[in-house]
């Protein structure tokens, strides 16, 4: 396996920083990784001797496991800890913790943090690769990439495709990474949500903004639903979950407005009956579990690309 030479990736901090060629190269590499994941022995020797540290200062189920699995499938050594078990809860600053981590000489640090910009802060100060696994409401680039991968796998070229993103856009790092990535690949994005969940300045992403779900979903090739990020909201921004479901939830009737082949996507964790009805989440058009499957391949591609750029892969070093 060789990383395309165009793919120089010392860190992965956000999709804002990547161009269309780099995104496409990562997705192509992920397709090769997916083929490995479908073999009986799902393992490559390429990152033998590389240490990947997962540093999650915010809760996660899927993303942390997905990164750990991705690293192991490339034969890297992984080590991880969560905030509640680390000295951060004893008042140590992020930089001091990070310096201590660096003293253990990891090659790549995968970080999730509740503060936007934390991965950038570390990337400037540490002497290893940094991969952003979600920073506050800012970006979640590997989620964006796995979403793009899933769309491209099912729909082909994304140029001109209509993608609806519905829900809590303001607090969603998933939405932000998708907005960057989809714009770069030429898709038309339509966002919709309650006024309190639509941030100002969305137009800078070149997307259409709707106050109601229906015009966003109408004729869409993809309908992506987002969880209400209560942990990032000062006050409750919606009167009631039932009411939210009535106006913005994706049920079978609303999904009928989209193209018959439309994909239903959700980054998880889902709140069934709030942003998505169970019949749709488990329905034929749902690719929600395929997103999870593709996430491992995408993260293998990202870890491999960062390691190869740093000369750490078996071929390069
Ligand atoms: C998302 C996240 O943490 O940003 N989940 C994920 O990584 N799969 C979305 C969410 O929490 O709603």
């Amino acid at each position: 396996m060789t990383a395309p030479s165009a793919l120089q990736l010392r860190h992965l901090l956000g999709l804002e920083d990547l161009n269309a060629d780099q995104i496409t190269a990562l997705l192509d590499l992920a397709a090769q990784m997916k083929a490995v994941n479908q073999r009986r022995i799902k393992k490559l020797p390429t990152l033998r001797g590389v240490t990947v540290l997962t540093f999650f200062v915010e809760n996660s189920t899927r993303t942390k496991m997905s990164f750990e699995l991705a690293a192991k499938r490339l034969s890297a050594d992984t080590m991880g800890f969560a905030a509640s078990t680390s000295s951060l809860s004893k008042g140590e600053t992020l930089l001091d913790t990070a310096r201590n981590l660096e003293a253990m000489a990891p090659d790549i640090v995968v970080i999730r943090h509740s503060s936007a910009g934390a991965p950038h802060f570390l990337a400037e100060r540490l002497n290893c690769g940094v991969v952003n696994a979600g920073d506050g409401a800012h970006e979640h680039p590997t989620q964006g990439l796995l979403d793009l991968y899933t769309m491209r796998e099912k729909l082909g070229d994304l140029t001109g495709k209509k993608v609806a993103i519905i829900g809590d856009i303001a607090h969603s790092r998933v939405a932000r990474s998708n907005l960057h990535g989809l714009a770069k690949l030429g898709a038309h994005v339509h966002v919709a949500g309650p006024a309190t969940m639509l941030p100002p300045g969305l137009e800078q992403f070149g997307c259409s903004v709707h106050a109601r779900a229906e015009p966003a979903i109408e004729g869409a090739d993809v309908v992506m639903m987002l969880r209400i990020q209560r942990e990032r909201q000062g006050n409750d921004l919606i009167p009631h979950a039932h009411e939210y479901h009535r106006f913005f939830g994706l049920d079978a009737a609303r999904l009928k407005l989209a193209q018959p082949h439309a994909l239903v996507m959700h980054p998880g964790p889902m709140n069934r009956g709030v942003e998505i009805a169970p019949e749709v989440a488990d329905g034929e058009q749902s690719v929600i579990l395929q997103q999870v499957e593709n996430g491992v391949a995408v993260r293998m591609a990202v870890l491999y690309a960062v390691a190869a750029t740093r000369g750490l892969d078996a071929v390069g070093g």
Side-chain angles (χ1 to χ4, degrees):
M1 185 126 354
T2 48
S5 53
L7 197 51
Q8 287 296 308
L9 203 68
R10 290 190 66 73
H11 307 282
L12 177 64
L13 302 178
L15 294 194
E16 184 174 9
D17 313 323
L18 302 189
N19 60 36
D21 288 345
Q22 290 173 305
I23 292 175
T24 304
L26 275 172
L27 301 183
D28 290 344
L29 193 55
Q32 296 183 54
M33 298 300 182
K34 185 164 177 175
V36 172
N37 289 340
Q38 287 167 338
R39 294 186 200 155
R40 195 178 66 81
I41 299 187
K42 309 170 182 61
K43 196 143 178 128
L44 290 175
T46 31
L47 296 197
R48 220 166 27 202
V50 172
T51 308
V52 176
L53 199 137
T54 53
F55 178 38
F56 275 57
V57 194
E58 203 185 60
N59 292 341
S60 168
T61 316
R62 262 157 297 264
T63 306
K64 188 163 188 286
M65 284 179 62
S66 183
F67 268 111
E68 284 174 4
L69 203 52
K72 287 185 201 301
R73 289 199 176 158
L74 295 172
S75 305
D77 296 314
T78 60
M79 181 169 71
F81 64 75
S84 54
T85 58
S86 78
S87 285
L88 281 180
S89 55
K90 298 181 188 167
E92 189 174 58
T93 66
L94 175 63
L95 185 57
D96 281 333
T97 304
R99 282 195 176 128
N100 281 272
L101 299 179
E102 196 184 31
M104 299 179 217
D107 297 299
I108 299 176
V109 172
V110 179
I111 175 175
R112 168 168 285 195
H113 201 281
S114 53
S115 298
H120 308 67
F121 178 83
L122 293 192
E124 278 168 20
R125 289 163 179 85
L126 301 187
N127 200 16
C128 60
V130 175
V131 176
N132 181 1
D135 62 325
H138 178 230
E139 275 227 43
H140 190 350
T142 56
Q143 179 71 44
L145 287 170
L146 77 87
D147 291 336
L148 294 173
Y149 183 95
T150 307
M151 291 181 220
R152 199 182 72 148
E153 183 178 56
K154 300 281 177 195
L155 304 171
D157 185 359
L158 297 184
T159 311
K161 295 284 188 296
K162 178 172 178 179
V163 179
I165 306 181
I166 317 283
D168 186 2
I169 312 293
H171 303 93
S172 174
R173 52 197 178 202
V174 176
R176 203 152 280 104
S177 286
N178 267 287
L179 281 163
H180 284 300
L182 285 163
K184 287 174 183 174
L185 296 193
H188 297 310
V189 184
H190 290 250
V191 302
T196 47
M197 296 183 188
L198 295 175
L202 267 175
E203 295 73 19
Q204 79 188 31
F205 292 96
C207 61
S208 308
V209 183
H210 305 274
R212 289 170 50 250
E214 287 75 10
I217 297 174
E218 208 157 35
D221 297 282
V222 176
V223 185
M224 182 185 296
M225 304 307 294
L226 299 174
R227 187 176 64 86
I228 301 171
Q229 312 270 305
R230 287 187 190 278
E231 69 277 24
R232 281 186 236 297
Q233 299 172 359
N235 301 303
D236 265 355
L237 297 183
I238 51 160
H240 200 279
H242 290 305
E243 192 154 328
Y244 180 84
H245 186 70
R246 198 151 69 82
F247 290 103
F248 291 99
L250 187 65
D251 56 15
R254 228 170 238 142
L255 180 58
K256 280 214 175 76
L257 297 171
Q259 303 266 10
H261 65 251
L263 309 177
V264 172
M265 302 181 72
H266 194 302
M270 282 189 278
N271 287 148
R272 288 170 180 262
V274 183
E275 72 271 15
I276 192 163
E279 77 220 22
V280 173
D282 305 326
E284 270 184 4
Q285 288 169 258
S286 168
V287 293
I288 294 169
L289 294 178
Q290 292 166 59
Q291 290 173 262
V292 178
E293 179 189 354
N294 293 335
V296 179
V298 160
R299 291 176 177 120
M300 287 167 77
V302 167
L303 292 175
Y304 179 73
V306 172
T309 304
R310 294 175 166 269
L312 294 165
D313 57 317
V315 183

